[in-house]
């Protein structure tokens, strides 16, 4: 397990050392190195330094160039414009660095120096309610962030804060007590998610209709809420049946999404019930929250309602009931105090931004969040239909998540079948699930989370353009070449000269570790998707311009197979961080 310094960091170090010797007072200054279309890299840091030292930037740049050795790492370096450095690395350095990456399981990607503990709150469905397209983004973005952070060495605790508490349970439980067989299963063998959801749906509709039409039932249902909150045994047992039935359904959907959700990570609103009274007491005793018209509120100067009056965060209602704020604040206390988190990430719809700003600010005032612990809302935008409006069915209903996933897999099956040679029906079905679900995840993850995105299945399963299918085909094509290589094996040959498309591919492969560090620090999985799409595009160009198995010499065949193999390993690692599978054959 050896982390491999990237070419960029090695070049950066050389330039920084030369800067420090040319201008000793600039010790530790950043050369501001970036990729360039004029050379491999450009260093722009000299301008600012020269200004500070009242020196001529071009002269300073020329002095710096004079003290940088060329040959092994840097092939060529020249001053351009008012003091930029254009730097070209040697072909040998590219292949030697990639060979070091290839020799490591982690492709030479280092662990983050300051890894800590992150609790990530994502995939939060509601008990007794169907999952819809809005739940998709929280699940997909959250799962990708878990993988990316864990790969950088962070300890990640997953939390699924399901909606499993509240007044609607009074109605459901009372109905079930009066109609005890409504959640019975047809057979003991096993219940499908579909059956569990249809049981819950039927019961929800029936209890709602009764609640709205029968005053006496309404009174009994309201009394049942009080029993639930008081922890009455029979009521809690009935409540648990709803939670269990819902979990059968949730897990079947997450299974379709190819997502691993563990029971221990599902801690719903009810998981914090025992803390609510204490949370309110701590807030009130410290003066962070005050009573206003009987309710316990936290006020903020910066958040005002339409009437111009401050909008408070209501922690406890005037009737003694607790709002979401009490639960969310208790969860923060638990995550910081018991789970020892130094970062809290909430993957929640952007429309809840105000609520979370107030909750985080309240927790700061109470001292539960401080300089050592930060909370971040990874807010996501809305899923839109092709027409650019929020995604609904023709009847104006919210789209069921299962229907959408099934349709994606169906579309993928026809794409796979069209392309497939020598695949059995069973293999086509397996590939269709990997391609269809991958397409849905990638479409979500390739857009910056904060932006809305259009859900267009035709485009998602397209073989061309920025889609996961394009990346999966690039991977499968490489596997096919490696299978056809016969006796020729991938091997690095640093002595060979590289073509422009080999160089471009090599430099991009080398950038993988830095890109992952950036995506982890900014909670930006879309940057991983963009990197992988560019990798597949650079590979496509390389493949078109550089014969692999028919290259001129055996060494060149081996070196190109080496580039193919490292590209495939980088693709499959990057895709797995996004929760997407890469089939060996397509």
């Amino acid at each position: 397990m050896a982390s491999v310094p990237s070419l960029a960091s090695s070049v950066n170090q050389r330039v920084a050392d030369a800067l420090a010797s040319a201008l000793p007072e600039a010790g530790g200054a950043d050369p501001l190195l970036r990729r360039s279309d004029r050379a491999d890299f450009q260093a722009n840091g000299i301008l600012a330094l020269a200004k500070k030292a009242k020196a001529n930037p071009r002269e300073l740049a020329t002095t710096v160039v004079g003290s940088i050795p060329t040959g092994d790492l840097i092939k060529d370096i020249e001053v351009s414009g008012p003091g930029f450095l254009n730097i070209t690395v040697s072909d040998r350095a590219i292949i030697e660095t990639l060979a070091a990456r290839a020799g490591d399981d982690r492709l030479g990607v280092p662990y983050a120096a300051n890894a800590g503990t992150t609790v990530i709150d994502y995939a939060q469905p509601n008990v007794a309610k169907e999952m819809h397209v809005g739940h998709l983004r929280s699940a997909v973005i959250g799962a990708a962030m878990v993988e990316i952070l864990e790969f950088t060495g962070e300890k990640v605790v997953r939390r699924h804060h399901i909606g499993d508490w509240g007044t609607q349970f009074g109605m459901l439980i009372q109905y079930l007590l009066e109609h005890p067989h409504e959640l019975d299963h047809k057979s003991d063998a096993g219940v499908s998610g579909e059956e569990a959801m249809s049981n819950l749906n039927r019961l929800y509709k029936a209890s709602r209709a009764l609640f709205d039409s029968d005053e006496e039932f309404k009174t009994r249902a309201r009394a049942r809420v009080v029993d639930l909150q008081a922890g009455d045994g029979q009521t809690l047992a009935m409540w648990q049946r709803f939670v269990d039935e819902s979990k059968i359904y949730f897990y079947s959907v997450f299974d379709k999404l190819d997502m691993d959700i563990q029971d221990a990570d599902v801690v719903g609103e009810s998981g914090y019930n025992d803390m609510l009274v204490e949370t309110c007491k701590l807030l009130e005793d410290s003066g962070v929250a005050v009573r206003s018209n009987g309710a316990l509120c936290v006020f903020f100067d910066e958040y005002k309602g339409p009437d111009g009056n401050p909008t408070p965060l209501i922690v406890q209602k005037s009737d003694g009931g607790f709002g979401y704020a009490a639960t969310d604040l208790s969860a923060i206390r638990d995550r910081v105090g018991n789970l020892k988190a130094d970062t809290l990430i909430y993957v929640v719809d952007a429309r809840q931004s105000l609520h979370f700003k107030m909750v985080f600010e309240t927790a700061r005032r109470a001292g539960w969040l401080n300089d050592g612990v930060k909370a971040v809302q990874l807010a996501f935008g809305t899923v839109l239909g092709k027409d650019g409006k929020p995604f609904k069915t023709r009847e104006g209903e919210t789209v069921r998540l299962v229907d959408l996933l099934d349709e994606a897999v169906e579309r993928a099956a026809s794409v796979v079948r069209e392309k497939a040679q020598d695949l059995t029906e069973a293999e086509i079905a397996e590939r269709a699930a990997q391609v269809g679900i991958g397409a849905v995840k990638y479409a979500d993850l390739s857009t910056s989370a904060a932006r809305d995105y259009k859900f267009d299945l035709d485009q998602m399963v397209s073989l061309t353009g920025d889609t996961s299918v394009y990346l999966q085909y690039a991977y499968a094509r490489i596997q096919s070449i490696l299978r056809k290589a016969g006796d020729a094996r991938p091997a690095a040959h640093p002595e060979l000269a590289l073509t422009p498309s080999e160089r471009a591919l090599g430099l991009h492969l080398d950038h993988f570790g830095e890109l992952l560090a950036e995506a982890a620090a900014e909670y930006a999985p879309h940057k991983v998707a963009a990197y992988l799409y560019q990798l597949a595009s650079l590979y496509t160009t390389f493949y078109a311009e550089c014969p692999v198995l028919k290259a001129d010499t055996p060494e060149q065949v081996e070196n190109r197979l080496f580039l193919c193999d490292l590209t495939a390993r980088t693709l499959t690692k990057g895709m797995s961080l996004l929760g997407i599978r890469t089939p060996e054959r397509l």
Side-chain angles (χ1 to χ4, degrees), residues 244-458:
D244 293 344
E245 193 78 5
S246 298
K247 279 185 177 175
I248 296 172
Y249 161 70
F250 296 157
Y251 293 164
S252 76
V253 179
F254 289 127
D255 203 40
K256 247 184 201 160
L257 266 171
D258 195 12
M259 212 171 265
D260 179 34
I261 300 259
Q262 297 292 333
D263 226 28
D265 303 332
V266 180
V267 183
E269 294 169 11
S270 64
Y272 306 100
N273 285 349
D274 296 348
M275 300 174 71
L276 301 178
V277 172
E278 190 186 8
T279 295
C280 290
K281 187 174 177 348
L282 290 168
L283 291 172
E284 195 169 3
D285 289 353
S286 62
V288 171
V290 294
R291 292 277 164 193
S292 171
N293 300 328
L296 186 63
C297 304
V298 183
F299 287 94
F300 307 87
D301 295 337
E302 59 270 45
Y303 307 126
K304 296 194 167 46
D307 56 3
N309 292 328
T311 305
L313 182 71
I314 299 172
V315 187
Q316 191 177 22
K317 301 173 205 157
S318 52
D319 66 2
F322 298 101
Y324 290 124
T327 308
D328 287 335
L329 288 162
S330 300
I332 290 177
R333 286 177 54 211
D334 176 58
R335 291 164 186 187
V336 176
N338 297 329
L339 301 176
K340 305 286 178 248
D342 30 55
T343 307
L344 306 177
I345 302 176
Y346 292 77
V347 189
V348 185
D349 191 317
R351 286 171 291 198
Q352 296 191 39
S353 295
L354 177 60
H355 170 77
F356 279 100
K357 278 185 182 132
M358 290 173 152
V359 165
F360 297 160
E361 177 55 30
T362 300
R364 255 182 231 107
R365 292 178 187 176
W368 304 326
L369 292 177
N370 50 41
D371 293 344
V373 188
K374 64 170 177 173
V376 184
Q377 183 193 358
L378 207 178
F380 56 82
T382 309
V383 182
L384 308 172
K386 283 186 195 181
D387 57 2
K389 299 193 176 95
F391 200 33
K392 297 268 196 280
T393 62
R394 287 210 183 97
E395 298 74 42
E397 302 277 318
T398 321
V399 180
R400 297 171 67 216
L401 186 49
V402 228
D403 294 343
L404 211 107
L405 299 178
D406 289 345
E407 194 183 340
V409 172
E410 219 167 282
R411 293 281 178 94
S414 58
V415 173
V416 173
R417 186 170 278 115
E418 210 172 289
K419 278 281 207 179
Q421 295 123 0
D422 67 12
L423 289 182
T424 66
E425 276 304 309
E427 287 172 323
I428 288 176
E430 183 198 5
R431 303 284 191 288
Q434 297 182 348
V435 170
I437 297 301
V440 169
K441 289 182 177 179
Y442 186 85
D444 192 319
L445 293 168
S446 57
T447 312
S448 155
R451 288 173 47 198
D452 301 344
Y453 84 99
K454 279 188 185 163
F455 197 95
D456 178 349
L457 276 177
D458 294 323

Side-chain angles (χ1 to χ4, degrees), residues 175-190:
Y175 189 85
L176 188 59
L177 280 165
E178 294 174 17
H179 305 80
H181 297 297
E182 284 296 303
L183 285 184
D184 292 357
H185 296 147
K186 292 191 186 95
S187 75
D188 296 339

Side-chain angles (χ1 to χ4, degrees), residues 4-7 10-11 71-75 88-100 494-496 498 503 506-507 510:
V4 177
S6 69
L7 291 161
S10 304
V11 168
D72 58 339
L73 169 67
I74 295 173
K75 178 181 162 196
T88 305
V89 292
S90 69
D91 291 353
R92 170 176 286 279
I94 292 176
I95 296 297
E96 282 176 347
T97 301
L98 295 183
E495 73 282 1
L496 294 176
L498 299 177
R503 289 182 59 93
L507 285 165
D510 184 51

